[in-house]
């Protein structure tokens, strides 16, 4: 069974068998939890903000910002590594919708096409709405509230949120300078995002962005094929100023590849010229 089908089944189980399950709030002393609402849809989320040790609101210095999708799963390992690798960065984790099981929020917010199979009657394929929320509400809030450098934004996603990061890269590449895309899943129907017609027709002729893509060597064939195909496509679109890096994590399945990919992507990010 393909990986994305497994995710749908997991979402059904969460919705039908565990109706009381909700995503817990993050509680780490160094991280501020900021409620934020999608101004277009009225959906409620949280931002998990961690400022660098040298942050000074009165200082003229501005800081790069790393925006982290699937934040409750990812922000801790990135937070624990960032001080040693990209020590001046602001971290902004973006939660799933409050009050909604994680998989239902992910399948709606991170996927660019709708699920047309059976046994799942929850909304899907609203990546365009979520992208608008990040662009118009999240980034606007962060750059008005903190000393954030708008020219040094990074988007981090893994698995289905890596699929979302691919969607943002292909449709609005200038929104972020750097993209970290770990083990991106295929879209519903096993479509590769860069070959899916509604997305493909919107891809610009060149992509002036730095991109890190990774996948585990022991992942399902669909994930590996998706990552390899995406890298090959992006290399035809890159400019002289952009960097496309591909890393296969040896002897690692989908779950095992994540921590290695996360840390290695931060090393890559730290080495990029400003």
């Amino acid at each position: 069974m393909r990986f994305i089908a497994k995710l749908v089944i997991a979402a059904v189980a969460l919705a039908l068998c565990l109706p009381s399950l909700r995503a817990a709030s993050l509680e780490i002393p160094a991280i501020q939890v900021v409620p934020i609402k999608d101004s277009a849809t009225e959906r409620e989320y949280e931002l998990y903000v961690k400022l660098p040790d040298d942050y000074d609101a009165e200082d003229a210095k501005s800081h790069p910002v790393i925006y982290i999708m699937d934040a409750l799963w990812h922000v801790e390992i990135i937070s624990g590594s960032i001080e040693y690798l990209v020590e001046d960065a602001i971290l902004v984790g973006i939660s799933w919708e409050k009050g909604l099981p994680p998989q239902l929020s992910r399948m709606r917010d991170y996927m660019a096409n709708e699920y047309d199979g059976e046994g799942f009657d929850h909304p899907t394929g609203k990546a365009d709405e979520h992208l608008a929320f990040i662009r118009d509400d999240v980034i606007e809030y962060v750059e008005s509230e903190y000393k954030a450098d708008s020219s040094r934004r990074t988007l981090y996603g893994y698995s289905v949120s890596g699929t979302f990061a691919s969607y943002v890269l292909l449709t609005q590449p200038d929104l972020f300078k750097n993209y970290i895309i770990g083990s991106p899943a295929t879209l519903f129907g096993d479509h590769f995002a860069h070959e899916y017609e509604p997305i493909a027709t919107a891809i610009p002729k060149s992509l002036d962005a730095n991109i890190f893509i990774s996948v585990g060597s022991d992942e399902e064939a669909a994930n590996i094929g998706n990552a390899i195909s995406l890298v090959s496509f992006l290399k035809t679109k890159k400019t002289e100023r952009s960097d496309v890096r591909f890393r296969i994590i040896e002897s690692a399945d989908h779950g095992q590849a994540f921590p290695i990919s996360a840390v290695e992507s931060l090393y890559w990010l730290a080495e990029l010229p400003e």
Side-chain angles (χ1 to χ4, degrees), residues 1-16:
M1 184 180 294
R2 292 297 182 93
F3 175 72
I4 198 66
K6 291 181 179 180
L7 286 175
V8 171
I9 290 172
V12 173
L14 285 166
L16 301 181

Side-chain angles (χ1 to χ4, degrees), residues 43-210:
R43 297 170 189 146
E44 295 183 348
Y45 297 83
E46 290 178 336
L47 302 181
Y48 309 142
V49 181
K50 181 178 182 181
L51 302 175
D53 289 340
D54 67 345
Y55 183 85
D56 184 351
E58 304 303 321
D59 195 335
K61 178 182 178 180
S62 60
H63 299 261
V65 183
I66 303 175
Y67 293 86
I68 306 167
M69 313 306 300
D70 278 329
L72 200 61
W73 292 341
H74 299 160
V75 75
E76 290 183 86
I77 190 169
I78 295 175
S79 173
S81 306
I82 200 75
E83 295 179 8
Y84 306 98
L85 299 173
V86 193
E87 59 186 17
D88 65 333
I90 298 172
L91 298 186
V92 179
I94 305 171
S95 78
W96 308 299
E97 183 186 355
K98 292 181 66 177
L100 197 65
Q103 293 291 13
L104 299 189
S105 182
R106 298 174 83 229
M107 294 302 154
R108 183 197 63 207
D109 290 347
Y110 296 161
M111 298 298 284
N113 64 342
E114 295 185 358
Y115 179 69
D116 58 3
E118 298 180 354
F120 191 79
D121 57 359
H122 299 275
T124 56
K126 302 297 183 182
D128 56 339
E129 295 180 356
H130 202 59
L131 172 53
F133 162 62
I134 291 172
R135 181 190 62 229
D136 300 336
D137 296 311
V138 174
I139 291 176
E140 180 181 359
Y141 170 81
V142 170
E143 295 184 356
S144 64
E145 189 71 17
Y146 304 102
K147 303 287 291 185
D149 186 343
S150 62
S151 68
R152 291 190 291 164
R153 302 175 189 145
T154 298
L155 181 63
Y156 180 97
Y158 189 88
S159 188
V160 178
S161 61
T163 305
F164 176 75
S166 302
Y167 168 74
V168 178
L169 167 65
L170 296 170
T171 58
Q172 294 192 22
D174 295 339
L175 191 58
F176 296 89
K177 181 178 181 180
N178 310 306
Y179 291 82
I180 298 173
I181 301 171
S183 298
T186 59
L187 297 176
F188 292 126
D190 294 324
H191 294 290
F192 290 173
H194 56 289
E195 296 177 351
Y196 181 60
E197 185 174 350
I199 296 176
T201 56
I203 299 174
K205 292 182 178 180
S206 62
L207 298 172
D208 192 15
N210 300 311

Side-chain angles (χ1 to χ4, degrees), residues 191-245:
H191 294 290
F192 290 173
H194 56 289
E195 296 177 351
Y196 181 60
E197 185 174 350
I199 296 176
T201 56
I203 299 174
K205 292 182 178 180
S206 62
L207 298 172
D208 192 15
N210 300 311
I211 307 153
F212 179 97
I213 297 176
S214 63
V215 70
S217 65
D218 295 346
E219 295 197 41
E220 293 191 9
N223 271 24
I224 296 173
N226 187 28
I228 292 174
S229 178
L230 179 60
V231 169
S232 297
F233 173 78
L234 292 173
K235 286 183 176 180
T236 69
K237 294 284 188 177
K238 69 183 293 291
T239 69
E240 293 182 356
R241 297 186 301 273
S242 59
D243 180 59
V244 177
R245 190 76 53 88

